Amino acid sequence: MDLDGGSSPTVSTGVQEIPGRSTQRGAFYQFTQQNLPACKPVLTPAAIIATFLLMGLIFIPIGLVTLRASNSVVEIVDRYDMDCIPEEYRNNKVAYIKDDLISKNCSRFLKVLKPMKAPIYIYYQLDNYYQNHRRYVKSRSDLQLLHGLGYNDTSSCKPLESSHNLPVVPCGLIAWSLFNDTYKFSRGPSELKVNRKNIAWKSDRDHKFGKHVYPFNFQNGTLIGGGKLDPSIPLGDQEDLIVWMRTAALPSFRKLYGRIEEDLDVDDVIVVHLINNYNTYSFGGKKKLVLSTSSWLGGKNDFLGVANLFVGAFCIFISIIFLLLHMKNPRPYGDMAYLSWNRKNIAS
């Protein structure tokens, strides 16, 4: 180290500078060496307690608002699969549902307990129905649904890609098992009209099902699965099929059937004339009819509100625990007296 007048001392490091390379460190170098300016919060007890308390005060109001929105939804749920079987067939439900000579007509009476504002959504609900089974989900041909008989590779539709040596449109297990219970509604002497338009996703109608693709050779085999399709209506306009083809992820699911665009008042009695066609008795499934209003958050679902309330209450509980621990055993930030070594060890 040399001292020259008032000049600052310099230290020789023995490292020679590489010609042509700037000694100035750029932003990329500082980034790779983690030397860029960054926010490094100090996690003091007061900051931790305040953070948890703030999170609790945010989540609890959100939970209360979403729970109130869910509770504002009015639902009528009616399970009809058991009550719509005649007494003489209660011990042999499968024989009843498979016999086409037996009438499947059934009437149900639903009482409105709270005012229901239009639109009132009509759903059918199936329980213990595994649409998410791997073989079931794969048994379809999206290109055939879009292009019809012009697309010949339907091997993915096995075991229902053809019937009587002719192709089936639409092919596959999903289309073959189309739900085919029907519902009609009346209030007093007047019939409640059901709007069955626009029940499917617009993207599905416009981009996944062809407007010039018509059902062909559908449900003509020896084993009939579910509903039949009108061969004069293109697949893009058969919204029952489009709704059904969007498979559910869980074994209990609801699918939209239509909308009642009239208000229902308290104590109104809705008469439902249904045809109990669909076979859920072979696998122990359940069928339910659901009438539901909606809120700004959608349908009735308490999970989001309960989850927010739980998270908010948990955060406040944790903040109280931390506060009590801090009051019982306070420790000033940076107090050397609480370190495990002493100053002599530091000096040495």
Side-chain angles (χ1 to χ4, degrees), residues 55-56 119 140 165 239 301 306 348:
M55 290 175 62
R140 63 184 292 165
N165 296 322
E239 297 197 42
N301 191 342
V306 172
S348 63

Side-chain angles (χ1 to χ4, degrees), residues 96 140 153 155 196 205 247 260 331 336 339:
Y96 159 77
R140 63 184 292 165
D153 185 8
S155 58
R196 308 207 61 202
R205 299 195 308 266
T247 54
I260 298 175
R331 175 181 173 182
M336 298 294 291
L339 299 179

Side-chain angles (χ1 to χ4, degrees), residues 102-140:
I102 304 175
S103 174
K104 304 299 191 303
N105 292 325
C106 181
S107 295
R108 306 289 293 168
F109 299 90
L110 308 178
K111 187 174 182 180
V112 180
L113 300 179
K114 295 181 180 180
M116 302 181 73
K117 299 294 183 181
I120 300 168
Y121 296 92
I122 306 168
Y123 301 92
Y124 56 88
Q125 178 176 326
L126 298 178
D127 297 332
N128 197 36
Y129 194 116
Y130 289 84
Q131 269 198 321
N132 59 354
H133 191 282
R134 181 179 61 86
R135 189 178 183 187
Y136 184 89
V137 171
K138 292 176 64 177
S139 184
R140 63 184 292 165

Side-chain angles (χ1 to χ4, degrees), residues 12-315:
S12 177
T13 59
V15 179
Q16 297 181 353
E17 293 184 359
I18 299 176
R21 175 176 293 184
S22 174
T23 58
Q24 183 179 3
R25 304 301 187 184
F28 179 76
Y29 177 83
Q30 294 182 21
F31 173 76
T32 57
Q33 299 301 314
Q34 299 184 8
N35 291 331
L36 289 176
C39 178
K40 300 177 181 178
V42 179
L43 301 180
T44 61
I48 296 297
I49 293 170
T51 300
F52 275 103
L53 186 61
L54 179 62
M55 290 175 62
L57 295 177
I58 292 175
F59 276 99
I60 287 181
I62 293 176
L64 292 174
V65 171
T66 54
L67 198 59
R68 182 178 181 181
S70 177
N71 290 333
S72 67
V73 175
V74 181
E75 277 191 356
I76 301 176
V77 181
D78 178 57
R79 180 184 175 183
Y80 63 88
D81 58 313
M82 300 301 293
D83 294 336
C84 285
I85 298 179
E87 288 291 341
E88 59 270 22
Y89 290 98
R90 291 292 173 90
N91 295 326
N92 196 352
K93 305 178 186 67
V94 177
Y96 159 77
I97 202 69
K98 288 184 176 181
D99 193 340
D100 294 334
L101 299 178
I102 304 175
S103 174
K104 304 299 191 303
N105 292 325
C106 181
S107 295
R108 306 289 293 168
F109 299 90
L110 308 178
K111 187 174 182 180
V112 180
L113 300 179
K114 295 181 180 180
M116 302 181 73
K117 299 294 183 181
I120 300 168
Y121 296 92
I122 306 168
Y123 301 92
Y124 56 88
Q125 178 176 326
L126 298 178
D127 297 332
N128 197 36
Y129 194 116
Y130 289 84
Q131 269 198 321
N132 59 354
H133 191 282
R134 181 179 61 86
R135 189 178 183 187
Y136 184 89
V137 171
K138 292 176 64 177
S139 184
R140 63 184 292 165
S141 174
D142 291 329
L143 291 176
Q144 189 209 55
L145 294 173
L146 189 60
H147 302 292
L149 293 173
Y151 185 76
N152 298 321
D153 185 8
T154 57
S155 58
S156 61
C157 290
K158 291 182 179 180
L160 295 170
E161 72 275 17
S162 63
S163 178
H164 303 298
N165 296 322
L166 292 174
V168 175
V169 180
C171 65
L173 286 170
I174 305 177
W176 175 79
S177 61
L178 174 65
F179 186 81
N180 62 339
D181 283 5
T182 60
Y183 312 99
K184 291 184 178 180
F185 301 85
S186 62
R187 177 176 54 179
S190 60
E191 180 181 353
L192 291 173
K193 294 184 179 180
V194 178
N195 184 359
R196 308 207 61 202
K197 296 293 184 180
N198 299 324
I199 61 174
W201 290 18
K202 188 176 186 301
S203 59
D204 289 353
R205 299 195 308 266
D206 295 343
H207 304 294
K208 293 188 176 182
F209 293 80
K211 293 294 185 181
H212 303 286
V213 178
Y214 294 85
F216 177 79
N217 196 30
F218 185 70
Q219 299 287 24
N220 288 333
T222 56
L223 186 62
I224 304 300
K228 296 185 178 182
L229 299 174
D230 190 339
S232 64
I233 301 177
L235 297 185
D237 293 334
Q238 306 221 25
E239 297 197 42
D240 278 340
L241 174 69
I242 299 175
V243 170
W244 181 256
M245 294 292 287
R246 181 167 284 278
T247 54
L250 300 175
S252 294
F253 57 87
R254 295 178 179 179
K255 291 185 182 291
L256 186 61
Y257 181 84
R259 293 183 299 273
I260 298 175
E261 297 181 339
E262 297 181 32
D263 294 342
L264 299 180
D265 300 324
V266 178
D267 295 332
D268 280 350
V269 177
I270 309 301
V271 182
V272 184
H273 305 280
L274 63 90
I275 301 180
N276 185 24
N277 290 320
Y278 201 69
N279 181 12
T280 58
Y281 307 102
S282 299
F283 53 88
K286 301 176 183 177
K287 293 189 291 186
K288 298 176 182 178
L289 175 65
V290 181
L291 303 182
S292 175
T293 59
S294 64
S295 68
W296 61 270
L297 199 59
K300 189 176 184 64
N301 191 342
D302 293 340
F303 174 78
L304 184 60
V306 172
N308 279 282
L309 287 176
F310 175 79
V311 172
F314 181 76
C315 289

